[in-house]
């Protein structure tokens, strides 16, 4: 979190920062993978599954539920599913907790959150594409 706060305060917006972000993002995710204790990964799969269900239901209900009132099922599903992925911020917080020690974030919890982050980041775009294909096409060039 400390590194993210420094980047936020001193970000290079508009000065080539986008290229640097694209260059270093893979290293961020590689760094996460290197922090996983391999012996914790097996135990983390069960916990990761439980956290995954909570993550998906939380976003579908919390973000999709209110949207259902105005857009219908497809719009609510689109909003809910688009909110599901967890990646950088989650893993920055988990990495900071892991660095504080077992009392803050155990190896199993860290590995479980890596599983949740990976699954949600991979599956959400696939599901979103399917949902977007179900939307009616909006004609272009038509004025209201």
């Amino acid at each position: 979190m400390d590194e993210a706060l420094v980047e936020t305060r001193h970000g290079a917006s508009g000065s080539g920062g986008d290229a640097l972000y694209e260059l270093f993002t893979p290293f961020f995710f590689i760094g996460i993978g290197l922090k996983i204790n391999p012996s914790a990964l097996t135990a983390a799969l069960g916990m990761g599954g439980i956290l995954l269900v909570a993550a998906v239901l939380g976003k579908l209900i919390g973000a999709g539920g209110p949207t259902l009132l105005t857009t219908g099922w497809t719009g609510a599903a689109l909003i809910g599913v688009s909110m599901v992925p967890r990646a950088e911020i989650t893993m920055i917080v988990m990495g900071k907790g892991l660095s504080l020690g077992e009392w803050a974030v155990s190896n199993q919890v860290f590995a479980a959150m890596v599983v949740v982050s990976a699954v949600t980041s991979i599956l959400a775009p696939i599901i979103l594409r399917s949902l977007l294909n179900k939307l009616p096409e909006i004609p272009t060039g038509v004025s209201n």
Side-chain angles (χ1 to χ4, degrees), residues 31-32 34-37 40 91-111 114:
I32 290 169
L34 291 173
K35 290 179 184 177
I36 295 175
N37 182 340
M91 295 317 305
I92 288 170
V93 171
M94 295 304 293
K96 184 66 173 179
L98 188 66
S99 71
L100 293 173
E102 194 77 14
W103 67 271
V105 173
S106 68
N107 286 318
Q108 290 80 14
V109 171
F110 182 81
V114 170

Side-chain angles (χ1 to χ4, degrees), residues 4 15 18-19 22 28 33 35 40 42 44 53 57-58 68 75 84 90 92 99 102 105-106 114 120 139 143:
S15 62
D18 293 338
E22 290 177 18
F28 170 76
K35 290 179 184 177
T42 309
V53 169
L57 288 177
L68 180 62
V84 168
T90 299
I92 288 170
S99 71
E102 194 77 14
V105 173
S106 68
V114 170
T120 59
S143 63

Side-chain angles (χ1 to χ4, degrees), residues 4-27:
L5 290 173
V6 168
E7 178 62 27
T8 300
R9 289 187 188 125
H10 304 292
S13 178
S15 62
D18 293 338
L20 287 174
Y21 178 81
E22 290 177 18
L23 174 67
F24 290 113
T25 297
F27 296 108

